[in-house]
Amino acid sequence: MTATAPPLPHTPKPRPEAPPPVWTSSVLAPVAAGLATLFASTSLTGVVSGWAWFGYLLVAVVLIASTGLALRSLRAPTIVVGLAQLLVLLFLITGAFTTSGILKIIPGPDALEELRGVLAAAAEQIRVGLPPIEGTPPILCLVTIAIGLVAVLVDTLAVAAAAPAATGLVLLCVYAVPAALAEDMLPWWTFLLGAGAFAALLAVDGNHRHRRWRNREAPGLGNSASTLSAPVGVVSAAIALGLVIGTAATGVGTVGSLPGGTGSGRGGAGGFGVEPFTQLRGLLDQGENVELFKVYGMGADKRLLRAFTLDTFTPNKGWGLAQNGRAQQGVQANQPLPLVKGDDGEGAGREIRIEPTNWVDNWLPIYGVPRTLAGLADNWLYDPVGGAVFTTTKQNAPAYTETAAIKEPSKEQLRLDDARLAEVPLQFTQVDSVDPRVVAKAKQLTENESNNFDKAQALWSFFTAQNGFVYDTKTADATDSDALADFILNGKRGFCEQFASAMAVMLRAVGIPSRVAIGFTSGTPKGDHLSISSEDAHAWVEVYFQTKGWVSFDPTPLVDGRAVVPPYLQTDTSASKTNDTQEVPTGPASSAPATGTPRDPGADPGADGSGDQQEEEPLWPAILAGLLGGLAAAVSVIVIVRTRLRNRALLRSSPAPSRSPDSPVPVRKEGGFLDNPNVTNWLPLIAIGLWVGAFAFLAAWVSWWFALVLVVVLGGLGTPTAIREIKRRLRLQKIASHSPTAADAAWRELMDECADRGLPLSDGDTVRVAGRKVVEKHRLDEEGRSGLRTVIGVVEKSWYSDEPPDDQALGPAFDEVRKSLKRNAPMSWKGRLFPRSLRRGK
């Protein structure tokens, strides 16, 4: 009986290390999260004018996503990744919005104090401004911080926590704030972008979860892509249906209707009005300049366009209408109008055509004293006492034609025309609870004058730069309990309504009837008409004279050609002087820009007035960034299209599943522009280079120091990858062009691919031994094994045989090996950023 040999001990092979989770290591995850944040931030168009803020947000989101991607590839803990992203955001804020950072970007005590001041300025602008507010540096800083924090949170939830659905609430909050603050409805397209980006984020997450099944047919892969397209289609249909129904039913969330619809184009009441003036804020901080009227028939005459007047002063609150306007009376405006003081009916009237372009209110502006108003419906009334055209409800204003008496009185006529107070309505002379210091100042300024005109001119001349007054949309810090006395005696800084309010009160304090007029300056000539915009919003004073009626006095110092100085206030009233004359030695000095464009009081204006313009940042970095970004997008699309066409061609040329594993991989014929390796092999690298250049110039638009740091960081991280990619492209080009050294290039590339994945192959191994290691370590599937057998055969013939190898089959076979490696042994980001194959030096 023969003894049986004992069984050989079984030594289990070590289980291969599992690759990192596909979702958290993929570049798609942070890209999808970043796009969702950026598209949601487009809702800020309702509260911040312009698009400068979007450039800062784009840079912030790219930095945050890149930081998270790099650190997660190194297996850094989630808390470390989040803190690093916050630190990068702080570096960006310091470099872009402060000037005292260490190395320009590192926040020190001085930089943090400066940043505190910037945020305080942003809070003040929000407090006094009306949306959409101007995109000043403080506002840009605040927006960048807020959306930057959102980007960190969304990136953490979507990538680190692998819970992109949880970002929905965060992104919804991004919409909620602008929707609550904006005067108008948010545009429809911002909801479409945000919803589409969120749906894409969920779809990408679902696709990656399905791809976790290793060697099985998985939903979302190959021919079962419909599994992924179905939920995307449902979400897209829901978005479209919601927008259509919302627009048709209520207009909620849109500005009237979808493109091609019949909506007015403005949500809610829409348009601009003059209601904000009653709060002594005006349209000074309205942000975007919007045209309100086109005026035909004024020629070169510069006149103030009055919307309505205010007759009642309340201390520390401002001016308003008596009984809040409830007692206002009027006659039908489209009927013959009664004559009022200032127009005896003699002389020719001026026919003026006024076409509202973006005006929705219950007031219609007019020039001078109207004689007729044509083109108005019966519900429009004219108040001859208040000098205003109004209706009881806010509505879209129609185009109308005014025949007006606009003849200006002379200085001599006004000096002989003091009003008889007994004949003046009480609301134009009454003033209560005025600070005694204001009364004393008014009497001091007028004590040497003998008539109402000279007294009014003396008060008008008081509000000059020589007396310390400065025009600014930001008032001086309060030092007195009485706001009016504080402005006149201490702060002396304010905007048009404060100047008008102060002069009107001082006039009444010395017994002169007055009121505050609300309307617009003369506007800007454009072709055959004047363009009146929101920047022209203004307030001034009207003084009552016995026969000439209400006469305008504008105490606010304006420049840029917007000041309207009538002949009776000019030094030389000879016939050679016209209303365009701006020489006013005795009147308010031109110490500030026009309404809506306040000048820095500390600036030193040049002789030509160019000093009033703030120095603008050069736009060429942004233009170059846009051009490079456009080219990068175009090249990226070409790369994607080429890849898809190539994959489809491979699928069509693939044999049946019953193909023998030993059969060679079919040869795919190259042809066409997109299949030319000499053209397309380098396109991915070109696209990456263009994207880096675009982001570098975009960063340079923010700060050159920040651009330098960005280039150094990207260069440090990207140089090893670029060198490795260049070597790969050179070898692939040799393989595709059937070079005599194609087999050697294929084998060297395979060794480097394995080295980057943690399996360095020894040069002492034979080709077959190395092939077995690759199959076992990286668990190649059948397609990969078949391709590897073909590659090994071609390499062996090239090295050891005198017969020429079948280099036609080498390219397709090597492609199959690389695809199998990608499917079964995906490379980590550490391996991509710091390729181990570069240490081989071959």
Side-chain angles (χ1 to χ4, degrees), residues 503-540:
M503 181 177 174
V505 170
M506 296 175 79
L507 283 166
R508 292 191 182 184
V510 294
I512 301 176
S514 64
R515 66 189 184 188
V516 172
I518 303 297
F520 305 90
T521 56
S522 56
T524 304
K526 288 188 177 180
D528 61 344
H529 68 278
L530 295 174
S531 176
I532 309 293
S533 70
S534 56
E535 261 191 1
D536 296 307
H538 196 44
W540 63 94

Side-chain angles (χ1 to χ4, degrees), residues 134 137 597 610 612-621 701:
E134 184 180 358
T597 53
S610 61
D612 291 336
Q613 301 298 326
Q614 295 181 353
E615 183 180 357
E616 296 183 357
E617 295 181 356
L619 292 177
W620 66 265
W701 190 40

Side-chain angles (χ1 to χ4, degrees), residues 76 104 131 300 371 507 515 528 579 588-589 611 623 634 638 683 770 777 790 805 814:
K104 298 295 184 181
R371 291 180 177 175
L507 283 166
R515 66 189 184 188
D528 61 344
N579 286 339
I623 295 174
I638 292 175
L683 287 181
K777 174 67 176 180
T790 302
F814 190 72

Side-chain angles (χ1 to χ4, degrees), residues 350-371:
R350 176 75 63 86
E351 188 172 286
I352 306 166
R353 174 74 173 176
I354 303 176
E355 296 181 359
T357 57
N358 201 5
W359 179 260
V360 179
D361 210 288
N362 55 350
W363 307 94
L364 277 187
I366 54 175
Y367 288 98
V369 179
R371 291 180 177 175

